[in-house]
Amino acid sequence: MRPPSPSIPEREFALSVLKQSLRLDGRTPLEMRMPAFRFGPELGWVECALGKTRVVAHVDAKMVKPLPERPFEGIITIHSELSPMASTEYEAGRLSEEEVLLARLLDKVLRRSDAVDKESLCILAGQRVWHLRLTLHFLADAGNILDCACLAGITALKHFRRPDVEVIGDDVTVHPPSSRAPVPLSINHTPLCLTFAFFIDPETPPILDPAQLEATLSSGSMTLAMNAQRELCVVQKAGGVPLPVDEILRLVEVGVQKVKELDVLVEAALQEDWKGRRIEVR
Amino acid sequence: MLMSGLVLPGDVIPNTSKSSLKLGPGLLQLSSTSSKHVISTRAGLLNQTANGSSFWVESNSRRYVPAPQEGVIGVVTARAGGGEAYRVDIGSAHPAQLDGLAFEGATKRNRPILKVGSLVYARVSLAHKDMEPELECFDAQTRKSEGFGELKGGFMVKCSLGMCRLLLNARHFLLPLLGSTFPLEVAVGTNGRVWIQSGEVKQIIIVARCIEAADPDGGRMDENQIKTFLQKIDP
């Protein structure tokens, strides 16, 4: 059931607020909501919250036969389905436009950017590789569910530990976590997503991390996926608002700063959680 | 003296076999040929009066179920009935119907025209769970507008139903506290929506953030915490 478009007072007020470079929740235009992480008892389960937007990401791994055209690489699949639990806008079973865009972007950012080294997932070439399955559950959508999902996904991949495997000749032994400490995945880089929303009125500045009303009233958006090493992984620009080149470059610079801060936050959260766990006894 | 206990939907309420019993919100009486008992339809705190004659369940949620004689804020989504009526969204399962003549002093020649997207403050005149609710923009007894009608300008925020009930309570601290700081006009709908109008844009944003902060479903701040919060956002 699609929600009705915003009422006239909401639309006029929100646009006038944004024009004055203020926002409805008191943030500055280029300020992002502070992400909060909660790790589950299992390794590879993390709930990421950006304000009221919440996404749970969960990684699990099993051993399979590799694809015949790529016998040395593991397989990574991402499952993300929007259900009405996230918002009344989404219908169960019906593939909405937002869902398609979300799935495509998650695929580009988490899989095709080679964040996880697929060759390290190989156990026995041509016969056994790890199949990593990342499942995303969207609990609540209060705007910008895309960034939240990418953040949750990459944090879950960094949090996950796979069982240690010993290969002697053709003999594969999988050691359970009780006998040998599980091994982290080989993560090449940490891509993090930032979404900017644009408005038709040229005097309204672009905003970072739009909330729900802001996203509904925006006429275009740009998503940048970058890592802390100043590398651009994905640039996705949707909607018909024309942007001058210097504006895009300015936002990329802003993005670089934010990604550095976010990276520090993610690492700190992971370290904090790691201290509270007993994975190996030496 | 009130006594309370936690109940879940479907729980049978004990001590309800009296003949004259008043059931408040959240309770349903099931009667079959063999037995009659009262069950709870919501999760919340069961309360009863001291003499055991009235029972009700206190709970909070965000989805509105229309009940008659409640003041609600709706968004006009379409003109219906050949242009004579309006279809209004009040956040319930079915869209509501507002007749074009259901305003104070409206005649066929002279009545307010509402645009699609305008906000109205109306009273639910008819509400059944299987039918579309109906709205009217005048008070039931006096037939005068008494504040009902179109809400122009300002801003609307959404909150939980429990927060709306708190705001409608004259003894709650929030609105008097904000009203003493700057001029304020507020319309509270029991459907989880609050319309705010004030002098400046910044003031409206402050009120919206305070409502969100004091919401039992959101920030859950009490009076002192809200005062500290106000100091922080409005120096």
Side-chain angles (χ1 to χ4, degrees):
Chain A
M1 187 187 83
R2 302 204 70 234
S5 339
S7 59
I8 295 173
E10 281 179 285
R11 175 184 296 269
E12 286 178 1
F13 184 72
L15 288 175
S16 74
V17 162
L18 289 164
K19 193 161 178 168
Q20 297 177 29
S21 296
L22 295 171
R23 287 171 83 168
L24 293 167
D25 48 7
R27 290 186 274 159
T28 55
L30 293 172
E31 191 184 325
M32 194 168 174
R33 288 172 284 191
M34 187 69 115
F37 298 98
R38 192 167 71 95
F39 297 94
E42 258 175 65
L43 289 166
W45 193 100
V46 63
E47 179 192 329
C48 176
L50 271 181
K52 285 195 159 177
T53 303
R54 286 162 53 194
V55 177
V56 165
H58 174 223
V59 181
D60 63 38
K62 60 180 195 217
M63 295 202 293
V64 296
K65 213 165 153 54
L67 297 166
E69 58 265 15
R70 289 180 204 278
F72 302 107
E73 287 183 3
I75 307 171
I76 305 179
T77 51
I78 305 178
H79 296 267
S80 61
E81 249 179 50
L82 280 170
S83 76
M85 179 159 61
S87 168
T88 46
E89 288 176 33
Y90 309 119
E91 283 172 39
R94 177 104 50 99
L95 208 63
S96 60
E97 195 184 308
E98 290 98 351
E99 212 173 317
V100 171
L101 287 171
L102 184 66
R104 259 195 229 152
L105 203 89
L106 284 170
D107 193 57
K108 280 187 225 172
V109 173
L110 297 172
R111 219 165 58 90
R112 296 224 290 239
S113 67
D114 278 338
V116 178
D117 183 16
K118 291 211 220 73
E119 284 187 7
S120 69
L121 297 174
C122 180
I123 304 167
L124 205 54
Q127 290 178 35
R128 280 249 171 275
V129 295
W130 284 112
H131 174 187
L132 285 182
R133 204 170 50 165
L134 172 65
T135 315
L136 291 158
H137 300 281
F138 301 94
L139 302 180
D141 180 11
N144 205 9
I145 203 156
L146 185 58
D147 287 2
C148 199
C150 283
L151 194 56
I154 197 68
T155 311
L157 286 167
K158 287 184 102 158
H159 191 242
F160 180 65
R161 301 279 184 275
R162 62 168 175 81
D164 194 10
V165 174
E166 202 174 316
V167 181
I168 307 174
D170 265 353
D171 214 15
V172 175
T173 330
V174 180
H175 294 276
S178 48
S179 64
R180 275 221 208 161
V183 167
L185 297 173
S186 166
I187 310 263
N188 291 331
H189 64 105
T190 312
L192 294 164
C193 237
L194 293 172
T195 302
F196 296 87
F198 301 96
F199 301 89
I200 298 181
D201 178 28
E203 288 172 44
T204 308
I207 54 171
L208 172 61
D209 188 21
Q212 206 154 30
L213 185 61
E214 293 165 341
T216 318
L217 296 172
S218 72
S219 40
S221 76
M222 179 168 77
T223 304
L224 296 172
M226 286 187 278
N227 59 26
Q229 287 78 41
R230 297 184 63 111
E231 291 170 332
L232 259 179
C233 307
V234 180
V235 174
Q236 172 173 287
K237 187 182 171 302
V241 176
L243 287 178
V245 173
D246 47 358
E247 181 78 358
I248 297 189
L249 290 175
R250 181 180 76 93
L251 291 176
V252 169
E253 277 305 321
V254 167
V256 164
Q257 271 312 108
K258 295 285 171 195
V259 165
K260 282 208 181 112
E261 290 166 14
L262 267 179
D263 197 49
V264 167
L265 262 170
V266 167
E267 280 304 315
L270 285 166
Q271 287 290 350
E272 174 105 23
D273 174 74
W274 197 243
K275 277 192 264 185
R277 284 186 197 261
R278 303 189 60 220
I279 301 299
E280 47 184 86
V281 180
R282 283 181 189 252
Chain B
M1 195 185 67
L2 300 169
M3 294 173 285
S4 35
L6 192 67
V7 287
L8 295 176
D11 281 357
V12 179
I13 314 295
N15 305 326
T16 52
S17 46
K18 273 187 158 180
S19 51
S20 71
L21 204 56
K22 257 188 151 172
L23 295 180
L27 292 170
L28 185 69
Q29 179 173 51
L30 291 180
S31 53
S32 57
T33 46
S34 51
S35 62
K36 264 192 220 208
H37 45 251
V38 175
I39 60 165
S40 147
T41 58
R42 291 196 202 151
L45 280 177
L46 174 71
N47 289 330
Q48 59 185 61
T49 48
N51 54 3
S53 62
S54 289
F55 287 82
W56 66 95
V57 180
E58 268 179 31
S59 62
N60 199 2
S61 71
R62 297 191 83 108
R63 292 293 183 104
Y64 176 59
V65 173
Q69 312 315 324
E70 286 191 338
V72 294
I73 297 183
V75 181
V76 175
T77 55
R79 303 189 69 166
E84 293 273 320
Y86 301 100
R87 178 138 292 155
V88 178
D89 163 68
I90 55 175
S92 56
H94 305 283
Q97 194 97 327
L98 170 64
D99 191 54
L101 294 171
F103 295 83
E104 182 191 347
T107 59
K108 276 210 156 133
R109 299 239 190 104
N110 166 32
R111 59 184 173 165
I113 308 282
L114 298 174
K115 292 206 296 219
V116 170
S118 26
L119 275 182
V120 282
Y121 189 52
R123 181 180 51 87
V124 179
S125 57
L126 187 72
H128 281 290
K129 67 183 170 86
D130 301 311
M131 278 163 59
E132 278 189 4
E134 283 180 19
L135 306 174
E136 283 172 356
C137 276
F138 51 78
D139 186 82
Q141 265 97 30
T142 65
R143 316 277 309 172
K144 287 196 183 294
S145 67
E146 306 284 348
F148 295 115
E150 188 181 353
L151 297 167
K152 295 200 169 106
F155 184 55
M156 179 175 81
V157 284
K158 298 207 170 109
C159 60
S160 68
L161 305 185
M163 184 61 187
C164 290
R165 290 193 284 267
L166 286 175
L167 288 173
L168 284 167
N169 185 347
R171 281 174 288 186
H172 192 243
F173 69 90
L174 187 65
L175 291 175
L177 175 64
L178 293 169
S180 64
T181 326
F182 38 72
L184 186 63
E185 198 186 335
V186 160
V188 181
T190 51
N191 56 339
R193 297 175 183 185
V194 181
W195 175 81
I196 307 162
Q197 175 67 290
S198 181
E200 285 174 39
V201 160
K202 281 209 175 109
Q203 291 166 350
I204 300 182
I205 295 181
I206 290 171
V207 175
R209 288 181 74 187
C210 285
I211 292 179
E212 154 73 15
D215 196 331
D217 191 37
R220 259 174 284 170
M221 290 192 190
D222 61 14
E223 184 162 5
N224 291 321
Q225 289 171 315
I226 289 281
K227 286 187 179 153
T228 330
F229 183 61
L230 269 173
Q231 296 285 356
K232 199 171 66 151
I233 60 179
D234 186 26

